[in-house]
Amino acid sequence: MCHARRVTSESALPSESNAACDVAALATVVATQRAELERLRNAAAVAAVLERAKGATMALTGCSADAAHEDLVRRAEDSGRTLVEQCWITLGELVPGVLPEPDPVPTGHGEPARPGSTSAVPTPRGEGPADRHDARVLARIAQALVHVRDPRELAHCLREHLAASVRADAVLIFASGPAGGLELIGHAGVTETLATQWRHVPPLSGVAALETIRTRQPCWLTDYERDSERYVLIGTPPDRWLTRAWLPVVTGDAVAALGILRTTGDPFPSATRELLLEVARMCAGRLHSFLSSPAQVDDRMTEVVRSVFEALPGPAILLTPLRSDTGRIEDYRIDAAAPYAVDVAGRRGQALVGLRILECYPTVVGESLWEGYRHTLTTGEPYEGEPFEYQEVVAGVPETTTYSVRAAKLGDALVVTWIRHDPADRQEQRTADAQRLGNLGWADWNLVTGEANWSPQAFAVLARDARRGPLPLHELPARVVPEDRPALSRAIEGLLDGGPPVDTPFRLGTSAGTRHLRLVAEAVNDADGRPLEVHGFLQDLTAQRSAELALVESERAVVTQHGALLAERTLAGRLQHALLPLPRRAQQLAGLRVDVAYLPAQSGIHVGGDWFSAIELPDGSALFVVGDVAGHGIDAVATMAQLRFTAKGMVITGSSLTGALTRLNALLLHTHDTNATATLVLARYEPERRRLVWAQAGHPPPLLLRDGSARYLQRPKGILLGAKTAPSYAEAEFHIEPGDRLLFYTDGLFERPSEGFDKGLDRLAEAALHLGTEEPGALNPLLSAMLEGERRDDVCVVAVHLPPEPA
């Protein structure tokens, strides 16, 4: 054994071999002391975080220190976190400024060092904005760590939360490998090619991550030129990351290396270094669970899975992936198998344990399920593939079978289950689906043995508990409603006498109401014609029958309604014809030729509220009235009659046009239907002066045709009848020249749902230019041009024509 000793003179120098032993001994002592110092520093940092969290909890809740400690421990256990993670979450959730001031940390140089100094032991901070920011970062990381499931997710989590605060561009996690080397167990921000190149690192000198694991000290690489001479730097090219930090993560007896790679050339400030060291301490708990005794964990999991598999009624296997040196999955080992699991060679259950998947199912490579297995191991998402055909050799004969496979991740292994779709199984499933969709079930009655066999759906159709068994055929009529028993009994007796097949409807009373059922059956006879068996099906037609009955009721209602509408239409038509007789030919009034046309609407009752009047008054003048009552039917006809006769009577007895409109408005407001409205135009023609005086109540203006042009007369003031109690009406005067034509009409002539009011009037003016005076039916060309398709409103037109003077 070599000992380090003090040398007093050159003659007392030890031999070269002894000097080497002394150096090695000194190195061992230094390493031991440094490891102990790091352990003490970690313990001090953890204790400081715990005290800060306890103090914050006490300040907020007013509890004692012991109660605050118990509360933090309980919350950590309930959430599955470490105590350090729970402390940082508690500190990060507080409002900035609530955290108490940290105590100074002794540096060993006579005065305390403030947080942020390079010589201070890293402690939790909380006094400045940057410190509060770091506390929130640590709190978010602590919360996120609870959900990571493996070292690779841990690397992605750290990169996501440290990208903004420390400008981390990539994260690598190395664990101690076999023979003192390194194993890359997690990475983020690097390509898969680079990760594969550095997945296994031999125990070489000049590897910063390996040095960090050996010394348990952080390694800060901030000078690329100098660091590249001393270390083998990761990267292609390596100058992609100009600064790097390698941090020890002590997980019990093991140590991992956490690498933070940055593209920036800026050094790591002291506050950033302290933040990263705290992050490394927080990751210790998660890495410990990932790295501690994996073989023992797997063995315990495998034993549990094997116990569960023994009770499974179907095939299932537990697969552990077997990877190459590059990490590629080459095969799977079967570590557990259910009794019903069988391979192509006929081996079952426990006989499959320890075999490779390619030994048992050699043709699965290249299939979609092989890629599905890999995807499930990578993402954790269950795989459930479409049914596929698999060719296997059964008793020396190739046979193609259809399978459906499902895989789920369990730790680092896969639980795989599958279903074999045999032709008989598929046919049985199709039969069951057909019965369910058709709401029918088959039934067989053996007349020799008295046994009956029903499908499950037959019990559902007859609302019978399957535990009571099938109903004998001769007892079936007794279960139906009394009115249907004779017909069903005769049908069954015919079957038992060797008669033809039957198709008989019947009703069955249940707690949910009456069901409409159907029996379709035939008898199987022996050579002598005696029935041996009756088979057929029972079908539930309740939904169909209900729809039929509803349709019949609807048809009856339609017929009744149609009769009522027809009677009302006939009555209204007769009433309107009596109230508004149409002249068969043109009339001559006060020297004017008058043509009239009336067309009822084609929808609903074909009568409405449009009307006209064209009469010669006692003084030789002519009165023209065109009106339109809103709506259709009997009420509209009644209102039309009131207005038509009242208007004529008022003008004949000497009332002015505006006075007549005012009185008609009052009449309409005081009728039984206070919601009735109407439009109206009144015109009085004096033949001596060829003067036309007219007034209107919300009605379209008359159309004047003169010298090959068409224009509408300027309407005087007037609101529709029934709109207000005190309307104001005015008269307008117009002189008719020989050859003029004047059209009075209702809005049904030009209004269309698809166009505006003005566009309809323009279309009417254009069509009226071609209006002739030939008899009979002088207005027919105009009506044909204006009315296309179904008429939704009545149409009334009065054409007044002053013939030209003789040449």
Side-chain angles (χ1 to χ4, degrees):
M1 181 175 182
C2 299
H3 300 276
R5 55 188 180 274
R6 183 174 299 178
V7 180
T8 57
S9 66
E10 290 188 4
S11 60
L13 289 174
S15 64
E16 185 175 344
S17 61
N18 290 337
C21 290
D22 290 341
V23 172
L26 285 172
T28 301
V29 171
V30 169
T32 303
Q33 292 177 345
R34 294 173 70 179
E36 180 64 17
L37 177 61
E38 179 64 20
R39 186 186 66 80
L40 293 175
R41 293 180 66 185
N42 287 338
V46 170
V49 174
L50 177 59
E51 292 302 318
R52 294 291 305 285
K54 285 168 56 179
T57 303
M58 293 167 60
L60 288 178
T61 63
C63 64
S64 64
D66 292 339
H69 183 272
E70 292 177 359
D71 180 65
L72 291 172
V73 172
R74 178 184 55 78
R75 290 162 61 188
E77 292 176 349
D78 292 344
S79 58
R81 303 184 179 99
T82 64
L83 184 58
V84 176
E85 293 170 353
Q86 185 61 48
C87 289
W88 274 118
I89 291 175
T90 302
L91 293 173
E93 290 174 346
L94 299 179
V95 179
V98 174
L99 297 178
E101 293 288 346
D103 296 328
V105 180
T107 63
H109 297 284
E111 61 179 8
R114 301 303 303 168
S117 65
T118 57
S119 60
V121 178
T123 60
R125 302 172 303 284
E127 58 184 19
D131 297 330
R132 289 195 296 269
H133 169 74
D134 292 347
R136 287 192 294 269
V137 172
L138 291 170
R140 287 194 295 267
I141 293 177
Q143 290 175 323
L145 289 180
V146 179
H147 304 288
V148 298
R149 295 173 294 182
D150 52 49
R152 184 162 185 172
E153 289 188 6
L154 175 61
H156 283 277
C157 173
L158 295 178
R159 180 173 179 249
E160 177 184 354
H161 289 85
L162 295 176
S165 56
V166 302
R167 303 176 67 180
D169 299 300
V171 174
L172 301 177
I173 302 176
F174 281 102
S176 298
L182 295 176
E183 293 285 343
L184 181 63
I185 61 176
H187 61 85
V190 301
T191 63
E192 288 297 330
T193 301
L194 184 63
T196 301
Q197 294 172 351
W198 287 86
R199 190 175 303 279
H200 305 283
V201 180
L204 302 175
S205 60
V207 179
L210 190 57
E211 181 178 313
T212 295
I213 290 179
R214 289 173 177 172
T215 63
R216 299 194 176 193
Q217 293 295 317
C219 184
W220 309 98
L221 306 182
T222 58
D223 188 334
Y224 173 75
E225 298 297 336
R226 184 184 63 187
D227 295 334
S228 60
E229 295 176 358
R230 180 179 177 183
Y231 296 105
V232 179
L233 300 181
I234 296 175
T236 307
D239 59 356
R240 176 184 178 186
W241 295 291
L242 298 178
T243 55
R244 310 152 190 255
W246 290 99
L247 312 169
V249 182
V250 182
T251 60
D253 297 334
V255 182
L258 171 63
I260 307 297
L261 283 61
R262 308 191 306 172
T263 57
T264 177
D266 300 334
F268 292 92
S270 59
T272 300
R273 296 188 180 195
E274 293 175 4
L275 173 64
L276 291 177
L277 288 172
E278 191 61 45
V279 170
R281 296 186 188 98
M282 291 173 58
C283 295
R286 284 291 168 265
L287 282 178
H288 178 73
S289 63
F290 298 147
L291 301 177
S292 62
S293 303
Q296 297 176 7
V297 173
D298 289 345
D299 289 343
R300 291 196 300 269
M301 179 187 70
T302 302
E303 289 301 322
V304 172
V305 172
R306 287 175 180 173
S307 299
V308 173
F309 277 11
E310 287 298 324
L312 290 182
I317 54 177
L318 178 68
L319 300 181
T320 299
L322 303 177
R323 302 179 184 270
S324 65
D325 293 338
T326 62
R328 177 175 173 270
I329 297 177
E330 295 182 335
D331 205 344
Y332 294 88
R333 184 182 66 246
I334 301 176
D335 286 338
Y340 289 93
V342 60
D343 71 348
V344 295
R347 291 169 290 200
R348 292 179 176 272
Q350 291 297 323
L352 299 174
V353 176
L355 301 179
R356 307 296 175 92
I357 197 71
L358 296 184
E359 296 179 60
C360 303
Y361 311 98
T363 62
V364 297
V365 175
E367 297 287 348
S368 59
L369 66 88
W370 191 264
E371 176 61 24
Y373 290 171
R374 188 199 65 79
H375 180 77
T376 298
L377 284 173
T378 303
T379 65
E381 299 176 359
Y383 166 76
E384 189 164 0
E386 297 291 333
F388 69 96
E389 292 184 347
Y390 180 80
Q391 187 172 13
E392 54 190 348
V393 178
V394 179
V397 179
E399 182 178 300
T400 300
T401 309
T402 303
Y403 289 93
S404 292
V405 178
R406 191 179 189 277
K409 187 176 181 181
L410 180 63
D412 292 330
L414 286 176
V415 175
V416 180
T417 60
W418 65 91
I419 298 175
R420 176 175 177 173
H421 302 285
D422 289 331
D425 295 338
R426 291 197 297 270
Q427 185 62 36
E428 183 177 350
Q429 184 61 43
R430 289 169 184 164
T431 302
D433 291 341
Q435 293 184 67
R436 176 178 52 82
L437 295 174
N439 206 1
L440 57 87
W442 56 262
D444 291 334
W445 289 275
N446 191 317
L447 303 180
V448 177
T449 64
E451 296 178 352
N453 188 18
W454 288 5
S455 70
Q457 192 66 27
F459 289 95
V461 168
L462 285 175
R464 182 176 176 83
D465 190 346
R467 292 173 295 184
R468 300 177 60 187
L471 194 67
L473 182 60
H474 66 274
E475 294 184 12
L476 186 59
R479 304 303 175 95
V480 305
V481 299
E483 295 84 357
D484 296 341
R485 290 174 187 170
L488 183 59
S489 298
R490 287 193 299 270
I492 293 176
E493 290 173 0
L495 286 174
L496 299 179
D497 290 338
V502 299
D503 186 345
T504 304
F506 61 93
R507 288 169 294 175
L508 183 71
T510 68
S511 57
T514 301
R515 288 191 179 184
H516 295 266
L517 307 181
R518 171 192 183 198
L519 171 65
V520 179
E522 65 178 0
V524 179
N525 301 328
D526 61 10
D528 298 328
R530 290 173 298 185
L532 301 176
E533 183 183 46
V534 172
H535 60 249
F537 65 85
L538 295 157
Q539 186 176 18
D540 190 345
L541 302 177
T542 303
Q544 177 182 342
R545 184 58 178 161
S546 298
E548 292 174 353
L549 294 175
L551 180 60
V552 170
E553 291 298 325
S554 177
E555 290 176 350
R556 290 177 180 173
V558 169
V559 171
T560 303
Q561 183 69 16
H562 178 73
L565 290 175
L566 183 60
E568 184 177 355
R569 178 186 305 170
T570 303
L571 175 61
R574 291 178 179 177
L575 177 59
Q576 187 177 52
H577 182 70
L579 298 175
L580 187 65
L582 295 177
R584 297 183 178 180
R585 59 178 59 88
Q587 302 179 71
Q588 296 294 329
L589 299 176
L592 298 176
R593 171 190 169 94
V594 181
D595 289 284
V596 177
Y598 175 82
L599 296 176
Q602 290 180 330
S603 60
I605 299 178
H606 297 174
V607 293
D610 290 19
W611 88 92
F612 70 94
S613 288
I615 61 173
E616 190 170 313
L617 300 177
D619 61 359
S621 61
L623 175 65
F624 301 103
V625 184
V626 173
D628 183 0
V629 176
H632 298 85
I634 298 297
D635 292 339
V637 173
T639 303
M640 176 269 290
Q642 278 187 316
L643 295 178
R644 181 172 184 263
F645 292 111
T646 305
K648 289 195 300 182
M650 289 180 179
V651 177
I652 289 175
T653 56
S655 177
S656 65
L657 301 183
T658 55
L661 290 177
T662 301
R663 293 179 177 86
L664 291 173
N665 181 76
L667 173 65
L668 200 58
L669 288 175
H670 290 84
T671 58
H672 64 281
D673 186 2
T674 57
N675 294 322
T677 58
T679 65
L680 186 66
V681 60
L682 292 172
R684 186 168 185 168
Y685 174 68
E686 300 172 358
E688 293 81 6
R689 293 188 293 172
R690 297 177 181 170
R691 187 175 75 126
L692 182 77
V693 180
W694 68 289
Q696 62 86 29
H699 201 84
L703 176 62
L704 173 65
L705 304 174
R706 175 181 289 175
D707 298 332
S709 63
R711 69 180 180 88
Y712 291 97
L713 301 185
Q714 185 68 33
R715 290 199 310 173
K717 181 173 63 174
I719 192 172
L720 78 164
L721 303 178
K724 59 188 300 185
T725 57
S728 177
Y729 298 102
E731 293 181 350
E733 184 176 320
F734 174 73
H735 291 275
I736 298 180
E737 301 293 338
D740 287 352
R741 296 184 179 88
L742 203 61
L743 290 184
F744 300 91
Y745 51 90
T746 57
D747 55 9
L749 180 63
F750 65 88
E751 276 193 332
R752 296 292 180 272
S754 59
E755 65 182 11
F757 190 87
D758 292 338
K759 187 175 181 180
L761 290 176
D762 293 341
R763 188 162 51 85
L764 174 59
E766 179 66 25
L769 289 175
H770 305 288
L771 181 63
T773 59
E774 298 82 4
E775 290 191 55
L779 293 176
N780 288 342
L782 176 64
L783 298 176
S784 299
M786 293 299 297
L787 303 177
E788 297 179 359
E790 182 182 10
R791 294 188 300 277
R792 299 189 178 186
D793 200 359
D794 305 332
V795 176
C796 184
V797 183
V798 176
V800 176
H801 175 54
L802 179 60
E805 296 179 348

